[in-house]
Amino acid sequence: MSELRVDFITSLDGYASGEGWPGFWGLEGPEYLAWLGEQPEVTYLMGANTYRLMSGFAAGEVPDGQDGFRAEEESSVNQLTQASKVVFSSSLEEPLAWANCTLVRDDAVEAVRALKENGSRLLSTIGSLSLCRSLLRAGLVDRFRVGMFPVITGATGAERIYDGYPDIALQMIDHRTFDGRIQLVEYRPRVLDHPPLDSPA
């Protein structure tokens, strides 16, 4: 049976990106990049919006405000291109242009449940905030991993990650610091029916 990991890269205040900021907020260091290169093979899960964004990068579309990709960003996109990817969408049309992508039109929660039951490779989300919310609500997520970069993007932050989430208890199973500034935390999540001080209905 496959494990499912929700994986986020965030600012300290919980944004997935920020207007005018480069990838990794420009703060990735040699330890962090080496660790990224050592990660095991996974099958990535994403929705249509993340597919459009990332496949655009793979095709050479440069993010707004940048003249070109930095070497670290280009390497990250190239690694994603080589990886196996499952895209959940009712609006995209086959064939998908980005290499190694499978389009699934069925309900994402049920499709991921089947992938978990019938697979052996680690499944990992990338971006896709609404997909991650749905998978967490359904109790399908085994590991919740967050790489927190030391910036607060209160004025320019985009894509608030945790809006609309249920209450979730998190049991820490791993943590480490890269390059003296990037904090990685990994948890086992448990969706709560109600906060601890509320009586069950």
Side-chain angles (χ1 to χ4, degrees):
M1 187 169 179
S2 295
E3 273 200 322
L4 171 60
R5 180 182 69 206
V6 161
D7 205 359
F8 286 128
I9 296 172
T10 81
S11 62
L12 182 61
D13 52 340
Y15 284 95
S17 63
E19 185 177 348
W21 292 84
F24 303 116
W25 287 270
L27 293 173
E28 73 287 340
E31 290 179 4
Y32 181 71
L33 293 174
W35 173 79
L36 285 180
E38 296 165 357
Q39 295 303 292
E41 287 189 2
V42 304
T43 296
Y44 288 103
L45 311 178
M46 67 187 75
N49 290 337
T50 297
Y51 171 83
R52 291 186 183 100
L53 178 69
M54 299 306 298
S55 63
F57 292 162
E61 297 175 14
V62 179
D64 291 342
Q66 291 184 222
D67 295 327
F69 288 110
R70 296 177 301 126
E72 294 82 3
E73 294 170 316
E74 189 170 340
S75 174
S76 179
V77 172
N78 288 341
Q79 289 174 8
L80 279 173
T81 297
Q82 299 304 316
S84 174
K85 299 173 286 291
V86 178
V87 183
F88 299 98
S89 173
S90 59
S91 60
L92 294 172
E93 298 293 335
E94 292 182 306
L96 296 179
W98 199 13
N100 303 311
C101 284
T102 300
L103 179 62
V104 174
R105 297 189 180 280
D106 299 333
D107 177 75
V109 168
E110 293 309 313
V112 171
R113 195 186 309 277
L115 284 172
K116 287 190 65 176
E117 291 174 353
N118 300 319
S120 57
R121 177 186 283 191
L122 177 64
L123 305 172
S124 180
T125 61
I126 179 169
S128 308
L129 304 186
S130 60
L131 173 64
C132 294
R133 276 196 303 268
S134 297
L135 298 176
L136 275 159
R137 283 186 182 278
L140 292 176
V141 178
D142 302 292
R143 293 155 60 186
F144 189 88
R145 188 170 75 177
V146 182
M148 290 181 290
F149 283 68
V151 294
I152 293 174
T153 56
T156 58
E159 301 177 291
R160 286 173 56 89
I161 289 176
Y162 304 115
D163 288 355
Y165 267 45
D167 288 351
I168 301 171
L170 300 169
Q171 176 191 356
M172 183 174 286
I173 55 176
D174 195 14
H175 66 92
R176 63 182 294 183
T177 302
F178 298 101
D179 304 295
R181 59 180 178 264
I182 302 164
Q183 186 69 43
L184 181 82
V185 287
E186 187 165 2
Y187 304 98
R188 294 210 182 279
R190 179 170 56 87
V191 178
L192 302 177
D193 294 328
H194 53 81
L197 297 181
D198 279 358
S199 299

